[in-house]
């Protein structure tokens, strides 16, 4: 146990590449991450950064032609990369649950939502048949589905996006997981529903001491929810720290650029900056720092050397070769 608390998950030097006909896509390229017990780690970055592939690597659901090449994923002191498929299935069913952006992809349109949640409970909990319906009602109430007794007899298409997301969370919770991986869980929902789902996840963390890996491209969600933040870009972790530090003292130019691109209520929106350029194709990632082609502070060295992720003060790590220079310097691309 460290002073900061016990770790539930530690990822070290994880590499997940896709061996496509066009070449090797280095989607996740040597990342380190940690999630504390009962904590929320926010994994943030633009679309195409490798966040989903990271999540799929943890539960070992990377599909062909993807392959985990390197590293370890220590979960409750067991290396998940050494588990066979049967053991992984057990872990996925009982200790790690995942919820996705699109709940319809997980719900079967043919069965009622009640039957589907009941099935999840039957698989994971040892309770008599006669009590399963009541458990479904209980869990529906816990995730805020009103009129639970009636609604469990309905099919998924009768549910709104927000309600479907709740059904999926109910299924994910039915096995009392130690780790919940939520990949853009609120991305397609309107703001009010989004807040309700986020509050629900906060409640889950509080009531069940569940650790959560919360994946999003939305820094607002991170600010509200996360204890720690990992900023991912083009298959690499660029910055890692606790949430207060990331927002008050961001050190990586990519983190700074991300923060400047978030609309704020207290700042005129015309000053909003967009990060120039796009996330590179990971088939041929740039040499050196992967952010260097878009970075306002790039120098020759950045295009040659890959910056290691270095802990520059307790609990705050940054992967930037020029991090000590840029505070005194305006970025070339800044206007
Ligand atoms: N099955 C696949 N085959 C080839 N490339 C893939 C596959 N799945 C993901 N990728 C690539 O991996 C990179 C990271 O994708 P992803 O993890 O989905 O990003 P994010 O979730 O951050 O938006 C992207 O460049 C994407 O094109
Ligand atoms: Mg994704």
């Amino acid at each position: 146990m460290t002073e900061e608390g016990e770790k539930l998950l530690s990822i070290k030097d994880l590499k997940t590449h896709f061996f496509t006909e066009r070449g090797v896509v280095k989607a996740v390229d040597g990342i380190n991450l940690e999630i504390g017990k009962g904590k929320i780690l926010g994994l943030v970055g633009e679309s195409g950064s490798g966040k989903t592939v990271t999540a799929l690597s943890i539960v070992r659901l990377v599909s062909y032609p993807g392959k985990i090449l390197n590293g370890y994923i220590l979960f409750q002191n067991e290396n998940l990369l050494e588990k066979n498929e049967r053991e992984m299935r057990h872990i996925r069913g009982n200790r790690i649950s995942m919820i996705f952006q699109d709940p319809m992809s997980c719900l079967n349109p043919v069965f009622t939502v009640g039957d589907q949640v009941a099935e999840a409970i039957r698989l994971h909990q040892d309770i008599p048949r006669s009590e399963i319906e009541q458990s479904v009602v209980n869990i529906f109430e816990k995730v805020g589905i009103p009129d639970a007794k009636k609604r469990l007899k309905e099919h998924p298409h009768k549910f709104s996006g927000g309600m479907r997301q709740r059904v999926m969370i109910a299924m994910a919770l039915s096995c009392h997981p130690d780790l919940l991986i939520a990949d853009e869980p609120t991305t397609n929902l309107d703001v009010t529903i989004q807040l309700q789902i986020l509050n629900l996840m906060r409640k889950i963390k509080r009531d069940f001491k569940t650790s959560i890996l919360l994946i999003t491209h939305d820094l607002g969600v991170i600010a509200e929810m996360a204890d720690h933040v990992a900023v991912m870009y083009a298959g690499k972790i660029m910055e890692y720290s606790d949430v207060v530090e990331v927002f008050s003292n961001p050190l990586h130019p990519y983190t700074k650029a991300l923060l400047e691109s978030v609309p704020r209520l207290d700042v005129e929106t015309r000053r909003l900056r967009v990060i120039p350029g796009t996330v590179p194709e990971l088939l041929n990632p740039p040499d050196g720092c992967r952010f260097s082609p878009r970075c306002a502070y790039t120098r020759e060295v950045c295009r040659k050397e890959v910056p290691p992720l270095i802990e520059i003060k307790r609990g705050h790590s940054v992967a930037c070769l020029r991090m000590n220079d840029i505070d005194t310097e305006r970025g070339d691309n800044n206007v």
Side-chain angles (χ1 to χ4, degrees):
M1 219 162 114
T2 67
E3 268 177 63
E4 283 186 73
E6 223 174 314
K7 298 295 168 217
L8 179 80
L9 185 88
S10 302
I11 298 178
K12 201 112 215 132
D13 207 20
L14 177 72
K15 280 190 186 158
T16 306
H17 294 176
F18 291 89
F19 295 85
T20 71
E21 279 175 16
R22 293 173 55 223
V24 182
V25 178
K26 296 173 179 165
V28 172
D29 207 21
I31 66 162
N32 298 340
L33 283 180
E34 283 187 338
I35 305 179
K37 269 202 178 134
K39 301 282 185 201
I40 298 182
L41 173 68
L43 182 59
V44 68
E46 288 163 285
S47 180
S49 301
K51 304 182 300 293
T52 295
V53 174
T54 300
L56 293 173
S57 301
I58 295 171
V59 286
R60 297 261 313 275
L61 287 175
V62 176
S63 55
Y64 180 85
K67 229 178 147 148
I68 299 175
L69 301 174
N70 201 54
Y72 64 77
I73 300 175
L74 223 50
F75 174 68
Q76 293 171 331
N77 298 320
E78 297 169 66
N79 184 0
L80 296 183
L81 299 186
E82 284 169 359
K83 302 284 171 196
N84 63 32
E85 183 45 35
R86 190 182 55 81
E87 292 167 323
M88 270 323 291
R89 221 175 298 136
H90 186 263
I91 288 169
R92 287 195 290 263
N94 296 283
R95 292 156 66 190
I96 304 179
S97 282
M98 225 175 139
I99 55 176
F100 303 90
Q101 184 175 335
D102 174 20
M104 264 328 239
S105 63
C106 295
L107 294 170
N108 189 328
V110 177
F111 299 103
T112 67
V113 292
D115 281 345
Q116 295 183 60
V117 177
E119 179 64 16
I121 293 174
R122 221 182 342 259
L123 283 172
H124 304 301
Q125 292 177 37
D126 193 19
I127 47 176
R129 263 192 121 71
S130 56
E131 287 170 25
I132 285 183
E133 182 167 317
Q134 190 52 48
S135 309
V136 176
V137 172
N138 291 348
I139 202 156
F140 271 26
E141 280 166 359
K142 217 170 272 164
V143 299
I145 300 174
D147 220 357
K149 254 198 153 77
K150 186 173 138 249
R151 297 231 65 185
L152 60 83
K153 302 213 161 58
E154 292 175 357
H155 289 81
H157 68 265
K158 290 269 199 135
F159 282 64
S160 65
M163 282 297 152
R164 275 181 208 148
Q165 196 59 286
R166 282 165 208 253
V167 173
M168 194 156 66
I169 293 174
M171 286 172 79
L173 289 183
S174 63
C175 68
H176 304 308
D178 298 304
L179 175 65
L180 179 67
I181 300 176
D183 190 357
E184 308 268 6
T186 58
T187 295
N188 288 332
L189 305 174
D190 71 51
V191 179
T192 326
I193 312 291
Q194 181 170 347
L195 278 178
Q196 291 171 0
I197 300 285
L198 294 176
N199 280 333
L200 172 61
M201 299 221 302
R202 233 186 254 127
K203 191 166 153 250
I204 289 164
K205 170 191 152 178
R206 197 185 55 223
D207 295 354
F208 302 104
K209 304 268 177 297
T210 310
S211 304
I212 301 176
L213 174 60
L214 178 59
I215 297 177
T216 175
H217 61 267
D218 186 339
L219 274 167
V221 170
I222 296 283
E224 284 293 311
M225 301 287 294
D227 298 296
H228 294 91
V229 184
V231 179
M232 192 165 189
Y233 182 79
K236 299 271 193 193
I237 301 297
M238 296 298 183
E239 183 154 7
Y240 172 87
S241 193
D242 68 73
V243 67
V244 175
E245 178 82 3
V246 164
F247 281 87
S248 62
N249 185 25
L251 292 175
H252 198 288
Y254 180 59
T255 314
K256 293 182 188 210
L258 270 184
L259 286 168
E260 281 168 3
S261 68
V262 176
R264 281 172 46 182
L265 293 174
D266 56 341
V267 178
E268 279 183 75
T269 42
R270 69 182 164 80
R271 284 172 55 198
L272 200 68
R273 282 208 196 104
V274 175
I275 312 175
T278 51
V279 180
E281 251 215 281
L282 299 179
L283 204 53
N284 280 310
D287 288 338
C289 172
R290 289 185 175 184
F291 187 55
S292 61
R294 294 173 78 190
C295 181
Y297 303 92
T298 300
R299 291 287 179 276
E300 202 48 39
V301 64
C302 306
R303 301 185 204 278
K304 289 191 182 133
E305 283 175 37
V306 178
L309 187 66
I310 294 173
E311 186 167 21
I312 48 116
K313 66 180 187 196
R314 248 195 93 126
H316 191 165
S317 305
V318 185
C320 175
L321 297 170
R322 306 204 61 238
M323 128 192 102
N324 295 322
D325 311 325
I326 59 182
D327 267 349
T328 52
E329 190 183 300
R330 279 170 68 88
D332 299 340
N333 300 340
N334 286 358
V335 245

